[in-house]
């Protein structure tokens, strides 16, 4: 990528000249994307770049289909191709369709508004008209909105590159659609979630004594997708040694899967959703190994021997550059030659012609095919007669080319191997790709039926592929009319069942919501970069019940749950310890060394300066042995301080009487709390609230300054029927005894 530079506009040029310069830049940049971003077979003139490494990229007009395909007209088509080069080759974005769709809508709107295909005349009115087409075409979902936002990015780029005659700023008028009514959400949930019957049927099939490679691949792929929330396309990057075990602090072992997350473009370790699914994952890998071992070994051989033709039983024993007869060429390619057919015709009809029809041919393969066709004798041939036999026995052709194993090796790999071999997926910037020799689902071509083509014959085993590819698994789970094979449900007698491959991801995400996992954790587990709230299909009844379980007015918490939170030091809310007022907001409360504190530290610091035993906002939870032990240590310390205060009082030290009174009150409260917490009449989890003495730092300062009478504060505390000093001395004497 270091040899690709951005297109820089020149201020002195007009918009038309800037556009022409931009297109010339794209034509020069396109080949620089080889071999990672585009295939070396790509040509600027092609009407579609899909098979050349730019997926979902056909330069056709708005609303074109495969049956009614109409190509874009110049000069707009060159602009569309230049923008595609900028996105795919320079920006290294995987999907070209993100920009192709809005560009198609822009073309039809440009013609309607301006009557021309001159892209420099694009205006805000043209963009608004394009959004109307998007809105009318995509009536469901957010496709129209996302397409319009992509058009925003295109207009911004055109303005920066000075491709517009009149520079303007434009924002899409389309808005994100809401999830709809409860009825629509219910229908959406039914459509996107797999039915319980389908999952049960797949489980029963999986636990059968499976012998069919196709059934093993389909059920094993489903097992992995139900073990971790993933996409069907990510199965291509699952390695053979994907299982990793980890232990937590308590020594409990859990299974993780080494998995490539497509959205975040990196490999992560995904924990298997349940311990019960670990045995399922192990069985799936065990079933797959006999099917895929040969494919991985063959992929390794192909990678290590790029110049050699793959050895097999019928391969002629010839050197790489030794001439081959047509019969030897057919034997090397495993082509069947019947008695009434000749090898030359079979080689031409079965191998050469289908290969020539391919649009994406590498320069090496194209050169060999051109050599063959230039030397091919197109006459009817010279008739050969044999003495003693009636009629013409054969025809002799004057072909002026040489077939060798080296040339067949190039053509064979061109036909049977993926363009991105030895890797399982296309190149993406920053992605650590997996090779076929290491992938879990690698098989040789021909091992499984090719269900992407209706009625397709048996494929040769010269290539490799990913067994669990999206077309095959989708057809096996949902079926397709006229397909070569019936769905897996139909083969095992589960009629009427079908499921979408992405439904498993929706199912696991929904179950994680039901289990109480946070959206942030679910997104990280699923390998997403944004919030995936559309994957939450919990019912309105479930959501209502979840709110009721935590709302202060309807919460179902109990003393046991509260005690568990205190013991494990989990966040404890104000609503867990008392009922909230209508205007009071719930919050997490503080836990001190002797109990819980409901003071709002957001409003002010502690007004008692840590003198908890004088505070009415202190509560002690019955059953919390740690804090009970702390209270007993506090009582012993208070006893020592009280004895010292009495000794000082006997020696008439100034302030000793007041100190003895205050420490004695704390000692009394501490002992009362301990006795109450040890009482068998209370249940574990009950809260014992302390009594406030009314004095705070603020009240003390106000009293010292004469702003408030101390008798007022003492009068408020008298209402709480605190003991007198004489009664307190008698109680403390009992404590000491």
């Amino acid at each position: 990528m270091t040899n690709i530079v951005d297109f820089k506009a020149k201020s002195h040029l007009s918009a038309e000249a800037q556009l022409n310069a931009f297109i010339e830049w794209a034509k020069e940049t396109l080949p620089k994307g080889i071999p990672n971003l585009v295939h070396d077979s790509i040509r600027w003139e092609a009407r579609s770049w899909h098979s050349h490494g730019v997926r979902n990229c056909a330069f056709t007009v708005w609303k074109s289909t495969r049956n009614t395909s109409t190509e874009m007209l110049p000069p707009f088509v060159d602009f569309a191709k230049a923008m595609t080069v900028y996105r795919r080759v320079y920006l290294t974005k995987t999907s070209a369709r993100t920009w192709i769709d809005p560009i198609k809508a822009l073309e039809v709107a440009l013609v309607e508004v301006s009557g021309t295909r001159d892209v420099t005349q694009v205006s805000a009115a043209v963009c608004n008209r394009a959004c109307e087409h998007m809105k009318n075409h995509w009536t469901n979902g957010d496709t129209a909105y996302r397409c319009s936002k992509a058009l925003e990015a295109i207009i911004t780029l055109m303005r920066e590159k000075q491709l517009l005659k009149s520079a303007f700023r434009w924002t899409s008028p389309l808005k994100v659609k809401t999830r709809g009514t409860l009825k629509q959400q219910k229908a959406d949930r039914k459509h996107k979630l797999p039915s319980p019957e389908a999952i049960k049927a797949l489980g029963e099939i999986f636990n059968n004594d499976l012998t069919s490679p196709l059934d093993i691949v389909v059920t094993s792929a489903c097992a992995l997708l139900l073990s971790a929330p993933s996409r069907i396309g990510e199965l291509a990057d699952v390695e053979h040694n994907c299982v990793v075990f980890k232990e937590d602090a308590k020594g409990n072992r859990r299974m993780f899967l080494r998995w490539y997350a497509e959205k975040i473009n990196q490999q992560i370790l995904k924990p298997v959703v349940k311990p019960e699914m670990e045995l399922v994952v192990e069985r799936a890998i065990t079933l797959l190994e006999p099917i895929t071992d040969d494919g991985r070994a063959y992929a390794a051989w192909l990678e290590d021997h790029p110049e050699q033709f793959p050895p097999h039983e019928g391969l002629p024993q010839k050197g790489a550059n030794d001439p081959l007869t047509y019969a030897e060429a057919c034997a090397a390619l495993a082509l069947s030659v019947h008695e009434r057919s000749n090898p030359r015709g079979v080689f031409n009809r079965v191998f050469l012609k289908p290969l020539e029809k391919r649009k994406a041919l590498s320069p090496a393969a194209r050169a060999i095919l051109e050599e063959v066709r230039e030397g091919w004798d197109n006459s009817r041939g010279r008739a050969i007669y044999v003495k003693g036999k009636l009629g013409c026995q054969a025809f002799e052709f004057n072909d002026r080319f040489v077939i060798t194993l080296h040339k067949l090796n190039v053509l064979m790999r061109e036909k049977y191997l993926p363009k991105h071999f030895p890797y399982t997926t296309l190149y993406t910037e920053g992605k650590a790709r997996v090779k076929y020799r290491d992938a879990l689902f690698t098989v040789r071509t021909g091992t499984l039926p090719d269900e992407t083509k209706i009625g397709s014959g048996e494929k040769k085993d010269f290539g490799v592929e990913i067994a669990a590819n999206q077309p095959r698994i989708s057809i096996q789970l949902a079926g397709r009319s006229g397909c070569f094979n019936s769905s897996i449900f139909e083969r095992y007698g589960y009629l009427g069942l079908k499921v979408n491959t992405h439904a498993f991801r929706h199912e696991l995400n929904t179950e994680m919501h039901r289990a109480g996992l946070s959206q942030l954790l679910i997104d990280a587990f699923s390998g997403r970069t944004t919030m995936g709230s559309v994957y939450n299909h919990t019912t309105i009844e479930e959501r209502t019940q979840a709110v009721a379980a935590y709302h202060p007015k309807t919460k179902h918490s109990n003393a046991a749950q509260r005690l568990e939170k205190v013991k494990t030091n989990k966040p404890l809310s104000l609503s867990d310890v008392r009922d909230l007022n209508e205007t009071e907001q719930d919050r997490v409360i503080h836990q001190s060394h002797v109990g819980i504190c409901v003071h709002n530290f957001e409003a002010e610091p502690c007004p008692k300066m840590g003198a908890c035993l004088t505070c009415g906002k202190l509560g002690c939870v019955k059953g919390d042995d740690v804090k009970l032990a702390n209270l007993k240590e506090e009582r012993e310390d208070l006893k020592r301080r009280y004895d010292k205060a009495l000794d000082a009082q006997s020696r008439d030290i100034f302030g000793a009487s007041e100190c003895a009174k205050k420490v004695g009150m704390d000692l009394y409260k501490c002992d009362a709390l301990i006795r109450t917490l040890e009482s068998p009449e209370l249940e574990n989890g009950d809260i014992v609230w302390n009594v406030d003495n009314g004095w705070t730092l603020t009240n003390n300062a106000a009293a010292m300054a004469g702003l408030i009478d101390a008798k007022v504060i003492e009068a408020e505390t008298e209402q709480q029927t605190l003991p007198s000093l004489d009664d307190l001395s008698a109680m403390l004497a009992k404590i000491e005894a």
Side-chain angles (χ1 to χ4, degrees):
M1 293 298 297
T2 56
N3 61 339
I4 299 179
V5 296
D6 191 8
F7 169 75
K8 296 181 180 179
K10 297 180 180 180
S11 58
H12 66 279
L13 297 180
S14 62
E16 292 84 354
Q18 298 282 17
L19 178 61
N20 292 333
F22 180 59
I23 293 173
E24 290 301 319
W25 168 88
K27 289 181 178 180
E28 295 176 0
T29 302
L30 181 61
K32 295 180 181 180
I34 300 168
N36 290 331
L37 300 178
V38 296
H39 303 323
D40 54 6
S41 59
I42 198 166
R43 295 292 182 272
W44 180 270
E45 298 76 16
R47 65 180 297 176
S48 172
W49 290 350
H50 175 78
S51 56
H52 304 274
V54 188
R55 291 179 295 180
N56 301 318
C57 179
F59 300 104
T60 54
V61 299
W62 177 252
K63 292 185 179 181
S64 284
T65 63
R66 290 185 177 180
N67 296 328
T68 59
S69 178
T70 305
E71 189 175 358
M72 287 182 181
L73 297 178
F76 193 88
V77 65
D78 288 329
F79 163 75
K81 291 180 178 180
M83 295 298 289
T84 303
V85 171
Y86 192 89
R87 177 174 176 81
R88 180 70 184 106
V89 180
Y90 179 71
L91 298 181
T92 68
K93 301 296 184 180
T94 303
S95 175
R97 190 170 185 175
T98 305
W99 279 14
I100 284 293
D101 285 341
I103 286 175
K104 291 180 178 180
L106 185 66
E107 181 193 21
V108 65
L110 180 62
V111 173
E112 291 176 354
V113 175
S114 67
T116 178
R117 286 183 169 82
D118 182 3
V119 73
T120 62
Q121 298 187 26
V122 169
S123 61
V126 173
C127 296
N128 290 333
R129 181 58 178 162
C131 287
E132 292 180 13
H133 285 291
M134 299 175 194
K135 185 178 180 180
N136 295 333
H137 183 62
W138 292 296
T139 56
N140 297 324
D142 291 329
T143 305
Y145 168 77
R146 293 196 299 269
C147 197
S148 68
K149 299 304 287 185
L151 182 58
E152 273 189 32
I154 293 172
I155 297 301
T156 300
L157 178 64
M158 293 177 66
R159 185 176 64 250
E160 292 176 352
K161 302 304 181 184
Q162 301 179 20
L163 305 181
L164 300 168
K165 285 186 176 179
S166 300
F168 64 95
R169 296 183 181 275
W170 175 78
T171 303
S172 168
L174 303 185
K175 304 298 180 183
V176 179
K177 288 188 177 181
T178 61
R179 294 192 64 185
T181 63
L182 295 179
K183 183 177 180 181
Q184 291 172 334
Q185 291 185 33
K186 185 176 181 180
D188 188 52
R189 178 168 57 251
K190 184 178 180 181
H191 171 69
K192 291 187 176 181
L193 288 181
S195 65
E197 295 79 12
I199 294 180
K200 183 179 179 181
L202 287 171
E204 292 175 352
I205 298 172
F206 181 70
N207 284 303
N208 287 343
D209 187 13
L210 297 175
T211 57
S212 168
L214 179 61
D215 297 341
I216 291 174
V217 167
V218 174
T219 54
S220 298
C222 294
L224 291 178
L225 293 176
L226 284 169
S227 301
S230 306
R231 303 169 181 82
I232 183 67
E234 295 173 352
L235 291 178
D237 288 311
V238 178
E239 298 178 74
H240 178 228
N241 57 342
C242 61
V243 176
V244 177
F245 287 97
K246 286 188 174 184
E247 291 187 359
D248 59 17
K250 298 181 180 179
N252 300 318
R253 194 176 76 153
R254 285 297 307 273
M255 176 186 287
F256 290 75
L257 298 178
R258 190 183 295 106
W259 203 287
Y260 168 75
E262 182 179 313
K263 292 296 183 182
I264 63 177
N265 195 31
Q266 66 182 14
Q267 198 175 69
I268 61 177
L269 288 180
K270 287 192 175 185
V272 175
V273 290
K274 279 187 174 183
E276 295 82 357
M277 291 298 293
E278 294 182 3
L279 294 177
V280 176
V281 173
E282 291 176 349
R283 172 173 166 78
I285 295 176
T286 302
L287 290 174
L288 285 170
E289 283 178 341
I291 304 173
T292 58
D293 282 342
D294 180 54
R296 281 188 292 274
Y298 179 62
W301 188 94
L302 289 174
E303 183 183 354
D304 296 337
H305 304 83
E307 301 298 327
Q308 297 183 30
F309 196 95
H312 59 87
E313 185 177 349
L315 183 66
Q317 300 301 314
K318 293 289 189 73
N321 296 309
D322 292 343
L324 299 178
T325 64
Y326 288 114
E328 291 172 334
C330 290
L333 296 170
L335 303 179
S336 300
V337 181
H338 302 289
E339 294 181 358
R340 295 186 178 181
S341 59
N342 65 79
R344 182 179 185 271
V346 172
F347 178 71
N348 183 40
R349 183 181 68 257
V350 180
F351 185 73
L352 289 182
K353 286 187 176 181
L355 193 58
E356 287 175 327
K357 292 180 181 179
R358 292 198 173 190
K359 298 177 181 179
L361 289 175
S362 66
R366 185 180 290 109
I368 294 175
L369 288 176
E370 289 176 356
E371 176 190 346
V372 171
R373 283 309 174 202
E374 288 177 1
W376 191 267
D377 185 0
N378 291 315
S379 69
R380 297 182 61 181
R382 183 176 65 85
I384 299 177
Y385 297 92
V386 178
K387 186 176 181 179
K389 292 185 178 182
L390 183 63
C392 176
Q393 300 301 309
F395 290 91
E396 185 179 70
F397 295 90
N398 184 26
D399 295 329
R400 301 177 304 280
F401 60 88
V402 178
I403 306 174
T404 64
L405 286 178
H406 173 73
K407 296 177 181 178
L408 289 184
N409 179 55
V410 174
L411 298 179
M412 180 278 299
R413 291 174 182 253
E414 183 73 19
K415 180 174 182 178
Y416 291 104
L417 292 185
K419 296 293 183 182
H420 42 269
F421 182 85
Y423 299 102
T424 59
T425 53
L426 294 172
Y427 172 84
T428 302
E429 188 75 19
K431 175 183 177 181
R433 291 191 287 176
V434 175
K435 292 184 176 182
Y436 278 95
R437 66 193 304 164
D438 301 319
L440 175 63
F441 284 95
T442 298
V443 295
R444 297 182 71 159
T445 52
T447 303
L448 303 177
D450 184 4
E451 293 165 318
T452 61
K453 298 179 181 179
I454 299 177
S456 61
E458 181 182 355
K459 294 176 66 176
K460 305 300 180 183
D461 62 352
F462 287 119
V464 290
E465 64 175 347
I466 294 298
N469 58 63
Q470 194 273 337
R472 175 177 289 122
I473 302 300
S474 296
I475 292 174
Q476 281 299 306
L477 294 179
R480 189 175 75 178
S481 59
C483 183
F484 181 76
N485 275 331
S486 56
S487 72
I488 191 170
F489 296 114
E490 295 171 342
R491 289 198 299 276
Y492 283 87
Y494 298 97
L495 302 180
L497 293 181
K498 60 174 59 179
V499 64
N500 186 284
T501 56
H502 207 56
F504 302 127
R505 183 173 171 88
H506 283 267
E507 175 72 16
L508 291 185
N509 274 257
T510 302
E511 290 300 325
M512 286 189 285
H513 278 287
R514 288 174 177 152
L517 274 69
S518 67
Q519 184 66 61
L520 181 64
L521 184 59
I522 295 174
D523 291 337
F525 191 14
S526 304
R528 277 191 292 267
T529 56
T530 56
M531 292 183 64
S533 56
V534 294
Y535 288 87
N536 183 8
H537 300 291
T538 53
T539 63
I540 187 63
E541 294 80 11
E542 291 172 327
R543 298 181 192 180
T544 303
Q545 186 177 4
V547 171
Y550 289 97
H551 195 276
K553 298 296 183 182
T554 57
K555 62 184 177 67
H556 306 304
S557 61
N558 52 42
Q561 293 175 342
R562 179 167 55 234
L563 178 60
E564 179 66 20
K565 286 185 176 181
V566 172
K567 283 186 173 182
T568 58
N569 202 29
K570 290 182 178 179
L572 195 67
S573 300
L574 183 62
S575 60
D576 290 327
V577 299
R578 76 179 192 191
D579 293 332
L580 302 182
N581 298 326
E582 293 183 0
T583 59
E584 195 171 17
Q585 187 176 10
D586 199 9
R587 53 184 169 82
V588 176
I589 62 175
H590 175 66
Q591 297 192 43
S592 68
H593 68 294
V594 293
I596 58 177
C597 176
V598 296
H599 174 70
N600 188 1
F601 288 89
E602 294 180 351
E604 61 175 346
C606 176
K608 298 283 188 176
M609 285 296 289
C612 297
L613 291 176
T614 68
C615 182
K617 295 183 179 181
L618 169 67
C620 297
V621 181
K622 169 71 181 280
D624 188 358
D625 298 332
V626 174
K627 292 182 175 59
L628 179 61
N630 292 340
L631 279 171
K632 290 181 177 180
E633 289 184 7
E634 186 81 9
R635 183 174 63 180
E636 294 299 324
D637 180 65
L638 289 171
K639 281 183 181 181
R640 289 190 294 269
R641 292 169 56 192
Y642 182 68
D643 291 340
K644 290 181 179 180
L646 292 179
D647 179 66
Q649 185 179 4
S650 65
R651 290 184 281 116
D652 294 330
I653 296 177
F654 178 77
S657 298
E658 190 66 22
C659 180
K661 179 181 178 180
K662 292 183 178 180
V663 174
M665 182 60 71
D666 290 343
L667 179 58
Y668 165 73
K669 287 183 178 181
C670 186
D671 185 72
L673 284 172
I674 293 172
R675 291 177 182 272
T676 306
L677 291 172
E678 291 180 337
S679 173
E681 296 180 0
L682 295 181
E683 296 182 358
N684 285 339
D686 288 345
I687 301 177
V688 179
W689 292 103
N690 190 28
V691 178
D692 200 296
N693 66 356
W695 286 97
T696 64
L697 291 175
T698 303
N699 289 342
N700 187 50
M704 292 177 65
L707 299 177
I708 188 173
D709 191 353
K711 294 181 179 180
V712 176
I713 301 175
E714 293 174 353
E716 293 177 354
T717 58
E718 286 178 359
Q719 299 176 5
Q720 302 170 356
T721 63
L722 293 177
S724 63
L725 182 58
D726 294 336
D727 294 336
L728 179 62
S729 299
M731 293 177 182
L732 294 178
K734 292 182 180 180
I735 295 174
E736 292 178 354

